[in-house]
Amino acid sequence: TIAVDNTKATLLSPALAQVNELEQLLSNAKVEIEQVAPNTKDSETMQQAITDIETAISGLRTALNDAYNNGTLENDIQGIMQPVEGLKSDIAALVTTAAAEEKALINNQVYTTLSNQLNELQKAYDEAEKFVNEDCKDVAGQFSETIDGLKQQIETLRTDLDTKHDEGTLTADY
């Protein structure tokens, strides 16, 4: 009788199909990251996470082929394929992490820009208040309500800006 080895058809091919699926998921995630995180997609953290996943996927393919070539695939396949679900989760987390990093970056950039603008506004207010109170003492009382109103508006803007920054809700449209 002739013994037929179906290991390739029954074990290796389906396992390699799962590895191919992981590669496709990662490829799709990279495209999505380009869209949701144009400013942070190249961060060291993101690139390292992608490299780690690529290395793990490559390691799966190598381990499968080595086990097949060594005749140990039947015994080794469960251990080799054990990381697959974790890698799927890691790939999905890449997009979520990239989007969160992008949102945080924009939140901080908008905060810095608006905070600088408020600082300039505060400086102009302080100069105007000083001018009115020191150089226009005879009519300063006529402007006290306006000055107090402006001061309150600046404080309200600052408080609102700080709150939105702390909540992480500042966007480029703010």
Side-chain angles (χ1 to χ4, degrees):
T1 63
I2 298 174
V4 177
D5 183 3
N6 285 339
T7 305
K8 187 169 189 173
T10 60
L11 296 176
L12 183 61
S13 294
L16 289 174
Q18 287 183 48
V19 172
N20 291 339
E21 178 189 358
L22 288 172
E23 290 171 334
Q24 187 59 52
L25 287 172
L26 183 58
S27 178
N28 294 345
K30 287 178 182 179
V31 169
E32 192 171 347
I33 289 167
E34 290 277 338
Q35 295 168 354
V36 301
N39 298 300
T40 58
K41 68 182 178 356
D42 296 324
S43 74
E44 187 176 327
T45 306
M46 183 58 53
Q47 290 305 307
Q48 186 60 55
I50 290 170
T51 298
D52 291 347
I53 292 171
E54 288 171 337
T55 300
I57 293 171
S58 177
L60 284 175
R61 184 177 300 283
T62 299
L64 286 168
N65 285 320
D66 287 350
Y68 175 75
N69 291 331
N70 294 334
T72 61
L73 184 59
E74 197 168 343
N75 292 331
D76 297 346
I77 193 159
Q78 279 189 298
I80 293 170
M81 298 303 287
Q82 186 274 330
V84 169
E85 291 306 314
L87 285 168
K88 286 180 182 179
S89 295
D90 292 346
I91 292 168
L94 281 176
V95 176
T96 303
T97 300
E101 286 179 4
E102 185 77 10
K103 182 179 178 184
L105 176 71
I106 290 170
N107 182 59
N108 289 333
Q109 287 175 336
V110 170
Y111 179 78
T112 299
T113 299
L114 294 178
S115 190
N116 288 338
Q117 290 174 356
L118 279 176
N119 291 342
E120 289 297 316
L121 184 59
Q122 182 67 50
K123 182 179 174 184
Y125 166 83
D126 291 343
E127 290 171 3
E129 181 184 38
K130 181 180 177 185
F131 175 77
V132 168
N133 289 332
E134 291 179 6
D135 295 343
C136 304
K137 291 179 184 178
D138 53 333
V139 293
Q142 297 174 19
F143 297 101
S144 65
E145 196 173 303
T146 301
I147 289 172
D148 290 344
L150 289 172
K151 181 178 182 177
Q152 183 60 44
Q153 287 178 5
I154 293 170
E155 288 172 2
T156 299
L157 288 170
R158 172 78 60 198
T159 299
D160 183 52
L161 179 62
D162 288 344
T163 299
K164 290 190 180 318
H165 178 253
D166 291 345
E167 293 170 348
T169 58
L170 293 173
T171 64
D173 299 329
Y174 191 77

